[in-house]
Amino acid sequence: MSLGIKQLTPDPWTDITAKYPINSKHTGTVRNFTNFGVFVELEEGVDGLVYISDLSWTQKIKHPSEFCTAGDKLEVQVLELDVDNRRLSLGVKQLETNPWDVYEQKYAIGSDHEGVAIEVFEKGATIQLEDAEIDAFVPGRHLDKEDGSKVAKGDKLMFKVIEFGKDQKRVVLSHTATFKEEEQRQIKAVAEKQQQTSEKSTLGDIDALSELKKKMEG
């Protein structure tokens, strides 16, 4: 004779699609971690998995324990539901608007921003922008300063955006481009001014010759 205990209560997965539809929001309890995510209990018998990539839009999380601890209450959103295999995929970051939609406009290629070099290494440097959650990368060849020295850790300088990747969450900057481009603008402005001066001088010469001709004819 085979007996069962769970059969004494209704199966919570029977009406799972009604209770936990896609995009619905719920509060669950953190039960345990894996290297790739967090298991959250929504009710007895119903657990969902939040992959580490769905915890935050901006934080670089190496292990879920950096984000939460067992027993924590966690607000989640249902992303996927597989009734046959009893799998529930949840997300935390989806509860908020993706800030990279805003950053795409704010950090457009060619725009200038102030930042602090928080780390300098062989291949480049990490720059903290005014949005504390965003760190940008500067390749080594773009670390040159106007005086010939290199950007050092702790330097607070202006940087120009030379690459933006929304999907890769990547912002690439250049300090060198800020003054080199400014030099080019200055040279261009001087050249235009000289050209305008030359044109005025030429017109002046023509007027003088015309006046002299009139006098001679007179």
Side-chain angles (χ1 to χ4, degrees):
M1 184 166 54
S2 180
L3 305 176
I5 295 176
K6 71 177 185 180
Q7 288 79 6
L8 295 172
T9 56
D11 181 359
W13 282 82
T14 302
D15 57 348
I16 197 76
T17 53
K19 289 191 293 184
Y20 302 106
I22 304 297
N23 295 327
S24 60
K25 301 173 179 61
H26 308 274
T27 300
T29 304
V30 176
R31 286 307 179 202
N32 62 321
F33 308 110
T34 67
N35 289 330
F36 53 83
V38 183
F39 283 101
V40 178
E41 183 183 68
L42 298 180
E43 64 173 271
E44 188 174 352
V46 179
D47 289 349
L49 174 64
V50 182
Y51 284 101
I52 196 168
S53 59
D54 288 318
L55 288 173
S56 173
W57 289 112
T58 54
Q59 285 181 255
K60 295 177 181 178
I61 303 169
K62 295 180 180 178
H63 191 275
S65 58
E66 299 173 9
F67 185 84
C68 56
T69 58
D72 283 354
K73 293 294 182 182
L74 206 61
E75 295 290 327
V76 295
Q77 180 173 317
V78 178
L79 304 181
E80 295 179 17
L81 181 58
D82 184 348
V83 179
D84 295 334
N85 295 301
R86 298 196 173 212
R87 291 177 182 171
L88 195 60
S89 180
L90 307 172
V92 174
K93 71 179 185 181
Q94 287 78 7
L95 295 169
E96 302 175 351
T97 303
N98 183 356
W100 286 88
D101 291 336
V102 177
Y103 299 155
E104 188 174 20
Q105 301 298 321
K106 185 173 183 179
Y107 297 105
I109 292 176
S111 60
D112 294 323
H113 305 273
E114 190 174 62
V116 179
I118 57 175
E119 186 180 1
V120 178
F121 40 93
E122 186 179 351
K123 293 185 178 180
T126 301
I127 307 299
Q128 186 179 61
L129 295 170
E130 53 191 327
D131 293 283
E133 293 185 327
I134 294 185
D135 291 340
F137 172 70
V138 179
R141 66 182 183 279
H142 289 283
L143 291 173
D144 294 333
K145 291 184 178 180
E146 195 167 5
D147 61 5
S149 63
K150 291 275 190 180
V151 174
K153 184 176 180 180
D155 284 352
K156 190 174 185 180
L157 302 163
M158 292 302 295
F159 295 89
K160 185 176 292 294
V161 179
I162 58 175
E163 183 182 331
F164 182 90
K166 178 181 174 181
D167 295 334
Q168 299 79 20
K169 296 181 176 61
R170 176 180 171 86
V171 180
V172 181
L173 306 174
S174 170
H175 172 67
T176 307
T178 58
F179 64 84
K180 280 195 172 180
E181 189 166 302
E182 181 60 30
E183 285 180 356
Q184 291 172 358
R185 280 199 295 264
Q186 289 176 359
I187 292 171
K188 185 178 179 181
V190 171
E192 288 177 349
K193 189 174 182 180
Q194 288 177 341
Q195 185 178 359
Q196 290 173 359
T197 303
S198 176
E199 288 175 353
K200 287 181 180 178
S201 298
T202 303
L203 289 172
D205 291 343
I206 292 173
D207 291 341
L209 288 171
S210 178
E211 188 66 27
L212 181 59
K213 184 179 180 183
K214 286 180 181 178
K215 287 181 179 179
M216 289 176 70
E217 288 175 349

